[in-house]
Amino acid sequence: MFPRLPTVTKALLIANAVLFLLQQPFLLGYGTFEPFMLQPLRSFDPFSPGGNFQPWQLLTYGFLHGNLMHLLFNMLALFMFGSPLEQTWGEKRFLIFYLVCVAGAGLCQLAVGAMMIDPAPVLGASGGVFGLLLAYGMLFPNQRVMLLFPPIPMKARTFVIVIGLTELVFGATSWQPGIAHFAHLGGMLFGWLLIRYWRGQPPFNRRPPGGGPPKRPNHLRSVK
């Protein structure tokens, strides 16, 4: 099954797995990748990238993971939702979408971290994965998906709403500390905005002079 995966999805799975191996103590070690984790906006020193924010971290943090379970859950979701989206959009559009969600999630986390007393570095592909989940729910709203805990089948649209509300509650109440819930929500937000932009829908609708329908064609399909 793995060789039949779409190109970008396969490349993302391999990249995340290889970098996780390199993070292990018997290879490069966790500390080697500190300059590539998303550091809080405490300071910015271009000549000392370790321990402070650098612009490239908005992408690189999305390819690092804290532990094996963190990696496995994200890669399972990437496998499940990334493949059909890449097959629908094509390689270029899918990659752009994924990276925008990763960077958008990072920006939201930085904004939230700026309001915290002692924010911690962030790493993981969850922001991109939650963006993919949002896209899957928008493009395939009536497809059946299964919750893991508990194993309850539901429509993809309902699944996205449940996950989004859960993340909002956890983020607002701190019931599940140590997880960047607002980064997850940020990935969903930027994914939603990008899809609206591609569809020419508000707030990005483009109308010709004198009114009429938007010029931007709808490149995204919704499967009933």
Side-chain angles (χ1 to χ4, degrees), residues 5-203:
L5 280 173
T7 303
V8 176
T9 301
K10 185 194 301 186
L12 291 172
L13 290 169
I14 293 173
N16 279 274
V18 169
L19 285 169
F20 181 74
L21 288 176
L22 293 176
Q23 287 178 256
Q24 303 313 302
F26 55 84
L27 290 176
L28 297 181
Y30 191 81
T32 304
F33 292 89
E34 184 180 10
F36 303 98
M37 302 173 190
L38 185 62
Q39 302 290 340
L41 287 173
R42 289 187 290 253
S43 62
F44 173 70
D45 182 358
F47 302 104
S48 179
N52 62 83
F53 172 73
Q54 303 293 332
W56 62 73
Q57 296 169 359
L58 287 170
L59 291 178
T60 57
Y61 86 98
F63 293 86
L64 305 172
H65 289 83
N67 55 60
L68 182 60
M69 291 305 298
H70 188 200
L71 174 73
L72 291 179
F73 272 109
N74 279 340
M75 295 304 99
L76 175 62
L78 176 58
F79 169 79
M80 291 175 58
F81 302 116
S83 297
L85 289 172
E86 184 177 351
Q87 290 167 352
T88 301
W89 284 338
E91 297 173 5
K92 181 180 178 180
R93 186 176 289 267
F94 173 74
L95 180 59
I96 290 172
F97 182 86
Y98 183 81
L99 294 180
V100 166
C101 290
V102 169
L107 289 173
C108 290
Q109 183 60 34
L110 289 177
V112 172
M115 297 182 285
M116 300 172 64
I117 297 175
D118 188 23
V122 174
L123 69 167
S126 301
V129 165
F130 271 75
L132 296 182
L133 172 60
L134 184 282
Y136 189 88
M138 292 180 70
L139 270 68
F140 309 98
N142 295 318
Q143 289 287 349
R144 291 284 177 175
V145 296
M146 181 79 72
L147 283 174
L148 293 179
F149 306 106
I152 300 175
M154 62 182 66
K155 290 184 178 181
R157 177 170 46 202
T158 305
F159 181 71
V160 169
I161 294 172
V162 169
I163 293 297
L165 290 176
T166 301
E167 288 296 314
L168 182 60
V169 170
F170 283 157
T173 60
S174 300
W175 285 351
Q176 199 175 32
I179 297 178
H181 296 289
F182 286 102
H184 300 170
L185 291 170
M188 298 179 81
L189 172 63
F190 274 75
W192 179 78
L193 288 173
L194 184 54
I195 289 177
R196 301 282 292 184
Y197 173 74
W198 283 341
R199 288 178 170 175
Q201 296 174 331

